Amino acid sequence: MEVQDLTEDFLLQLTGCKQLVDIKQLSLHDYNLVKLDPVLFRRLQNLEDLDVSNNRLTETSLSITISTLKKLDCSNNDLSEIDFVQNFQNLEELHMEGNHLAESDNFIAAALCPHLTRINRSKYMVYQHLVTNLKSKVTPVINGIWEGKFAKMYKGGIPAAKLAEVSEQVYVVAKQQRAYGHLKLEKYHRCLTKLILQALVISEYETPAKRRRKSENPQRIISSQKNKQYTPQVKEVKIQCVKSDNQRSIPQSKASTEKMCLTTDSKNSTQYTRIKPVVPVTRLPTLPDFEPAYFLRCHSVKNDALDHSTRVWRCAFEPSLDVPGQTTNIVATCGGDSVCLLDCSTGKLMMRYKHPKEHFFALAWTTLTMKNKENGIRTNILAAAGANKVVRLIHPIQHLCYADMTRGAHTRSISTLLFHPKKETWLFSGGTDGKIILWDIGRPSVSSYKFAYGPLLVLKNSGVDILNLAFMTGTGYLVCGSEGGCYAHNIDVLTSDEQSKSDQTSKFEIRLPDWKTTKKVFVDALVQVSDDLIASKCTEQSHIQLWSFSSALAKVNKGKSEVVPVATLDWKTTDEFYINLGTYCNSGMLMCGDDNGRLWLYDVRKFQNKSTAACDSLLKPARLLPWPVCSARTKRGKDRILAEDIAKQTERTIINSATTNWNQHYIVSVTDNNMVCIWTKTR
């Protein structure tokens, strides 16, 4: 649709309203729009909900002002900046997946829109906490830099043409003073510096009268210019990785205890750190070492090897058809608009399924019997889902996506998928709409792929985002980790004919350790370690906890159960979230990445035995696999661009998820800078 086709008559016919001021909700989803008419949209004076997803809009196209807008869905467009959201000061909900945006843009949106309650898949409380903390930390620093170096120079205020330059100078000084941390949020840090500096200058120099005069003088208005970078396009290549001499994977370091320390600063008063209780530290048994084998970029947009913004979210090994309980060497990964199958033994890409307007967040395998006139055929089916709220069923051996399940589906993004371990056609899906849907995906026929599917059960969890699922076969309970805590649902009871599906006794809340010390438990990682053991991790906690589900079930009282961990595993302190735990059930090895590209490996075999006593010590990882030195194999001069880009973009890497095959010969991890990493056990 061209912009001239987006007229007043078209909008009135689309919405059924008599005049533009009556339109409160407007959906322009998938209209192939490249521009919005600011004059027309300015007349939508009561618009509260705008959906412009699945178009070709840029940040310039969305430079419109709607003061009443509360919800905006601009996912799956061509956005590379998010500054335009400052025109929607009453915005409460923002969806922007599937664009050319980075993690920094989420924080920028949070800083620019004070009323936001949800950004993409996560509730705003996560960003709000981090933005508020960082702002309170760096504001005094920026104030000191301004007073010491710039206040006398710009007594009358900062001209608009100079704001970007002065802001960058202040940011460089603040960075040198280590006011900021994460390098991957540098774009957000620059924006925050500019906002703080702008507020500082206005509060110091501008009375209301001066502000009115300045607003009439375009030479003095403080504004920002957006810079676009051109990225040269080169062919996709494999990445060569080696361990450097000073980056060998190491067992955990010796036990250490925290002491009270005194810190002094020449500019600040003396400060004392708070005394923390000394926690005894214990070593876990050492695990075998692993070497980097193949590091690949196979989820790139338009096969661009310089694409380091696509996030790869999940990975899972294909189950073996010959030996139940084992896996093949094939691993499935999902991220961006692609689902890939890789052979870990050769590093070769075996299959890639692409859906241009999708952003895949989750996948899961099942082995089922396809219908045939004579004998059924056993085969593996891969389910994948994401931002488009559709579950897609893929038959890898035929390189075919044969179904898009939408009937009775989610209303928002799907975050996680899990097949029932005993009923091969039952699929659980959890989404950001707070729903868990149990599907029966049916059995496709061999020749025509005809099948019947449908939802068997819909569970609602008060609107919280469902992030991870685990099914406890022995008890029939489904455990879910979410942004609102941890819950368990008795699926065996809920799917039986004798029990009402609304019976509240079929669900209980699992109160994880430390729940009393936090306002709301945000469980961003949860995985089933064995038939009874679960590992979980919460945001703002530097540890992973193992706990027994059967013990939690035995303590249920009035719909709640407080669990006591059988072990607490040491992990990295970080502000990052959605870093998933990984394992192969009953393998005894648990793993988790971090925001420095490292893999933390834990040997938890002894805790799989129910008779093992709980451990009060903090358990260090059995092994740490550091991020290797990465380089591209270059045969031509122009490939040097790629080599330099690889070295630069892998300096700080977030591991989103990791897994291992049935005998722990391979470990696969996926990152937020478009990398699939295959590690091999050393001989």
Side-chain angles (χ1 to χ4, degrees), residues 655-670:
I655 306 292
N656 289 326
S657 185
T659 190
T660 183
N661 67 329
W662 72 280
N663 61 359
Q664 299 92 57
H665 184 74
Y666 298 108
I667 291 177
V668 177
S669 61
V670 292

Side-chain angles (χ1 to χ4, degrees), residues 359-400:
H359 194 98
F360 289 103
F361 296 140
L363 51 74
W365 287 97
T366 188
T367 302
L368 53 75
T369 303
M370 296 183 68
K371 292 185 294 185
N372 197 354
K373 291 182 179 179
E374 299 177 356
N375 297 321
I377 299 176
R378 297 290 287 174
T379 190
N380 286 325
I381 298 296
L382 179 65
N388 280 0
K389 304 160 282 190
V390 179
V391 179
R392 307 181 194 278
L393 300 179
I394 301 171
H395 192 197
I397 197 170
Q398 296 294 335
H399 291 208
L400 175 68

Side-chain angles (χ1 to χ4, degrees), residues 195-398:
L195 292 174
I196 294 173
L197 183 61
Q198 183 174 345
L200 178 65
V201 173
I202 290 176
S203 64
E204 183 171 350
Y205 293 110
E206 297 183 6
T207 63
K210 285 185 178 179
R211 278 199 293 273
R212 284 195 294 272
R213 285 198 297 270
K214 286 188 177 183
S215 66
E216 296 167 1
N217 181 4
Q219 297 298 320
R220 304 296 297 179
I221 296 175
I222 297 179
S223 62
S224 62
Q225 297 291 330
K226 297 171 184 174
N227 298 321
K228 293 185 178 180
Q229 297 180 349
Y230 170 71
T231 304
Q233 187 168 352
V234 299
K235 291 185 177 180
E236 181 179 352
V237 299
K238 290 185 179 180
I239 298 167
Q240 183 179 9
C241 305
V242 295
K243 286 186 181 178
S244 63
D245 292 337
N246 60 348
Q247 282 189 316
R248 297 295 176 186
S249 63
I250 54 175
Q252 77 280 358
S253 59
K254 294 181 179 179
S256 60
T257 57
E258 183 177 355
K259 301 178 181 179
M260 183 180 70
C261 59
L262 173 66
T263 59
T264 60
D265 191 292
S266 58
K267 295 183 180 180
N268 301 317
S269 59
T270 302
Q271 297 179 344
Y272 292 87
T273 62
R274 185 175 296 177
I275 300 177
K276 295 183 179 180
V278 177
V279 179
V281 178
T282 304
R283 296 186 180 186
L284 284 170
T286 303
L287 287 169
D289 197 5
F290 289 80
E291 291 286 344
Y294 306 100
F295 279 36
L296 311 165
R297 273 187 175 166
C298 50
H299 290 264
S300 302
V301 176
K302 297 180 180 179
N303 292 331
D304 182 7
L306 291 181
D307 174 14
H308 49 72
S309 60
T310 296
R311 296 177 178 180
V312 189
W313 287 105
R314 302 273 186 172
C315 50
F317 275 92
E318 178 188 33
S320 171
L321 291 173
D322 300 324
V323 185
Q326 296 187 11
T327 65
T328 68
N329 294 333
I330 304 298
V331 66
T333 59
C334 68
D337 62 359
S338 305
V339 174
C340 296
L341 266 63
L342 296 155
D343 188 337
C344 292
S345 62
T346 62
K348 290 184 178 180
L349 179 65
M350 308 303 292
M351 188 205 80
R352 176 162 53 194
Y353 168 75
K354 294 178 75 74
H355 193 285
K357 294 185 178 181
E358 180 64 278
H359 194 98
F360 289 103
F361 296 140
L363 51 74
W365 287 97
T366 188
T367 302
L368 53 75
T369 303
M370 296 183 68
K371 292 185 294 185
N372 197 354
K373 291 182 179 179
E374 299 177 356
N375 297 321
I377 299 176
R378 297 290 287 174
T379 190
N380 286 325
I381 298 296
L382 179 65
N388 280 0
K389 304 160 282 190
V390 179
V391 179
R392 307 181 194 278
L393 300 179
I394 301 171
H395 192 197
I397 197 170
Q398 296 294 335

Side-chain angles (χ1 to χ4, degrees), residues 67-95:
S67 60
T68 57
L69 196 65
K70 294 182 179 180
K71 177 182 176 183
L72 174 63
D73 188 346
C74 54
S75 54
N76 297 313
N77 278 281
D78 292 326
L79 303 176
S80 57
E81 302 284 346
I82 203 65
D83 304 56
F84 64 85
V85 296
Q86 62 189 329
N87 297 327
F88 314 126
Q89 283 300 297
N90 290 309
L91 198 64
E92 297 177 358
E93 187 171 337
L94 175 63
H95 297 272

Side-chain angles (χ1 to χ4, degrees), residues 433-552:
D433 54 3
K435 293 180 183 177
I436 300 174
I437 299 179
L438 171 58
W439 305 83
D440 188 340
I441 68 169
R443 302 179 189 276
S445 62
V446 173
S447 56
S448 64
Y449 283 91
K450 290 183 179 180
F451 74 108
Y453 77 91
L456 300 176
L457 184 68
V458 178
L459 305 173
K460 296 182 179 180
N461 286 269
S462 305
V464 297
D465 297 357
I466 310 300
L467 300 176
N468 290 285
L469 299 171
F471 190 85
M472 314 308 293
T473 308
T475 58
Y477 273 87
L478 179 72
V479 182
C480 72
S482 71
E483 291 189 4
C486 186
Y487 297 87
H489 300 267
N490 192 330
I491 301 301
D492 287 352
V493 170
L494 290 169
T495 53
S496 67
D497 296 331
E498 300 175 359
Q499 178 73 22
S500 170
K501 290 182 172 56
S502 61
D503 190 344
Q504 295 301 311
T505 60
S506 60
K507 171 186 174 181
F508 67 92
E509 178 185 0
I510 300 173
R511 293 191 166 179
L512 300 175
D514 301 331
W515 69 272
K516 294 180 181 179
T517 62
T518 57
K519 294 181 180 179
K520 205 166 188 179
V521 178
F522 185 145
V523 185
D524 71 333
L526 182 143
V527 70
Q528 182 179 2
V529 178
S530 68
D531 295 336
D532 183 56
L533 198 63
I534 290 179
S536 61
K537 175 174 68 68
C538 301
T539 56
E540 301 180 5
Q541 293 182 359
S542 58
H543 54 259
I544 300 163
Q545 290 171 325
L546 300 176
W547 46 278
S548 166
F549 179 77
S550 60
S551 297

